[in-house]
Amino acid sequence: MAAVSTGFCQNNAGSQAKPIAQPLVTNIYTADPSAHVFNGRIYIYPSHDIEAGIPQNDNGDHFDMRDYHVLSMDRIGGKVTDHGVALDKKDVPWVGRQMWAPDAAYKNGKYYLYFPAKDKQDVFRIGVATSSSPAGPFKAEPKPIAGSYSIDPAVFTDADGNSYMYFGGIWGGQLQRWQTGKYNPKDEYPKNDQPAISPKVARLSKDMLSFAEPVRDVKIVDKDGKPLLAGDNKRRFFEAAWLHKYKGKYYFSYSTGDTHFIAYATGTSPYGPFTYQGVILNPVVGWTNHHSIVEVGGKWYLFYHDSVQSGGKTHLRSVKVTELKYRPDGSIETITAYQK
Ligand code: FUB
């Protein structure tokens, strides 16, 4: 992720916007929601935003989160339970700071929480923690996943039982530092007419604790099969990957970051390539845009966040949910989170 100096997107009237949905909880600030249905109940794995008092900068230092809470509800619109602290920074030996957007998965009778954080060298890595309950508490593995880097893990399990982790984020998420496969602390970016930096994917091992194969690029292409370019800010990948399947097709969705859209692209394999299709969610109040998509009881829902509740403070966000609709051709109707 990243920030801009004002901390507001163009839609900066946090207190004036008329939202289509209310925060799921207001006792804490929550963001980056990854929603799943486990045992017939909806579980949401968000970041836990706090006021750390750190000035905003383009590295996102002001997003200095220190733990995770799990939220759950028995139905959309039902009472939301905050299950308290599910994992704390102090219990993860390798973490230095900034516990950012997590995701969760179920396999082998266990629940897995995947989370990005900066290690003691200030390099983003992705960790995993396990629990016998979807609500936690989770116990972290002593080291980050070998070969992992950058931010925003999203784990998708296909019908054949294979699970894949999608990850990455440019700017403050450091994905640009791994373009050669090795870490380069210089923040260098492709020129505008070169292919954009790709998000990453790796199949997970059967025990869900490591990568089963080398990390691959997730290619996002236009309708002519050409890679989206680095200068194509309105369409190219920035952060916040999510993968879901609808009617046999794979939908890869993501944030365009500095243009603030949640966009999507579709393909016929979990590895891609994915062809850009359009916008799922227009910019929200606050700089970041981050989402997940889940089917509950035959309907589809978009979980997202905005900063209305905090009056527009970009690092104090609240998770919300709204219905997502497909057209008969499988395309997704664009959502605007505010009434006109
Ligand atoms: O919450 C911190 C970061 O902000 C996430 O990792 C990004 O996706 C953005 O939402």
Side-chain angles (χ1 to χ4, degrees):
M1 91 73 15
V4 285
S5 51
T6 63
F8 299 100
C9 73
Q10 53 274 49
N11 189 1
N12 69 357
S15 54
Q16 290 144 35
K18 288 189 190 141
I20 58 166
Q22 296 303 313
L24 292 191
V25 292
T26 53
N27 60 314
I28 55 172
Y29 286 109
T30 55
D32 309 325
S34 292
H36 295 272
V37 178
F38 293 132
N39 305 320
R41 192 169 171 86
I42 305 159
Y43 288 87
I44 302 117
Y45 300 84
S47 299
H48 175 196
D49 282 355
I50 54 165
E51 180 53 82
I54 297 174
Q56 291 186 20
N57 61 30
D58 277 354
N59 279 333
D61 284 345
H62 50 300
F63 292 96
D64 192 25
M65 293 86 103
R66 293 162 196 179
D67 63 21
Y68 295 108
H69 286 223
V70 178
L71 309 178
S72 76
M73 53 193 177
D74 60 1
R75 60 182 172 83
I76 298 291
K79 180 174 171 282
V80 180
T81 303
D82 172 359
H83 295 272
V85 176
L87 182 69
D88 194 301
K89 186 176 95 162
K90 70 175 171 30
D91 298 321
V92 193
W94 62 267
V95 168
R97 63 182 179 131
Q98 294 184 299
M99 297 179 99
W100 282 10
D103 191 17
Y106 170 79
K107 199 174 270 181
N108 316 320
K110 277 192 201 160
Y111 296 88
Y112 299 83
L113 180 73
Y114 298 94
F115 58 97
K118 282 184 179 156
D119 65 14
K120 309 270 189 211
Q121 286 72 46
D122 236 25
V123 176
F124 267 115
R125 303 282 179 182
I126 296 169
V128 55
T130 57
S131 176
S132 57
S133 163
F138 288 87
K139 181 161 176 38
E141 293 294 299
K143 292 189 174 163
I145 294 173
S148 71
Y149 50 83
S150 196
I151 60 167
D152 292 0
V155 172
F156 165 76
T157 299
D158 210 345
D160 63 3
N162 281 316
S163 297
Y164 303 85
M165 181 187 288
Y166 301 83
F167 62 95
I170 60 172
W171 293 24
Q174 301 181 344
L175 187 58
Q176 67 280 359
R177 299 184 181 180
W178 294 92
Q179 290 177 78
T180 63
K182 292 210 173 115
Y183 184 71
N184 169 8
K186 283 192 198 147
D187 290 314
E188 292 166 340
Y189 297 89
K191 294 206 168 69
N192 281 350
D193 60 355
Q194 292 175 342
I197 296 172
S198 295
K200 306 296 172 201
V201 60
R203 187 166 52 81
L204 291 170
S205 56
K206 294 284 174 225
D207 68 5
M208 302 290 274
L209 300 177
S210 60
F211 291 158
E213 59 183 13
V215 168
R216 310 180 190 200
D217 280 351
V218 175
K219 296 216 165 65
I220 307 173
V221 299
D222 65 17
K223 293 257 157 73
D224 299 322
K226 295 196 182 118
L228 297 188
L229 300 180
D232 190 354
N233 299 46
K234 285 196 173 159
R235 299 194 299 171
R236 61 92 172 91
F237 173 84
F238 189 101
E239 62 187 3
W242 187 257
L243 197 285
H244 76 281
K245 209 172 173 181
Y246 175 74
K247 295 196 173 169
K249 215 187 262 182
Y250 297 86
Y251 287 66
F252 180 79
S253 45
Y254 55 95
S255 168
T256 63
D258 54 342
T259 51
H260 315 285
F261 296 105
I262 297 295
Y264 76 107
T266 58
T268 54
S269 154
Y271 290 114
F274 297 100
T275 305
Y276 180 87
Q277 301 294 340
V279 169
I280 294 176
L281 179 62
N282 279 321
V284 296
V285 171
W287 198 92
T288 66
N289 206 348
H290 193 123
H291 73 301
S292 62
I293 294 166
V294 67
E295 186 180 16
V296 185
K299 285 186 167 186
W300 287 85
Y301 293 92
L302 177 80
F303 285 77
Y304 64 103
H305 67 221
D306 73 12
S307 295
V308 170
Q309 179 76 11
S310 68
K313 290 199 179 110
T314 220
H315 61 291
L316 295 178
R317 301 161 288 182
S318 300
V319 167
K320 301 179 167 185
V321 60
T322 192
E323 193 176 345
L324 173 144
K325 291 186 179 144
Y326 298 90
R327 297 188 191 90
D329 65 357
S331 61
I332 294 176
E333 290 182 10
T334 302
I335 294 166
T336 298
Y338 310 97
Q339 292 160 23
K340 285 198 186 110

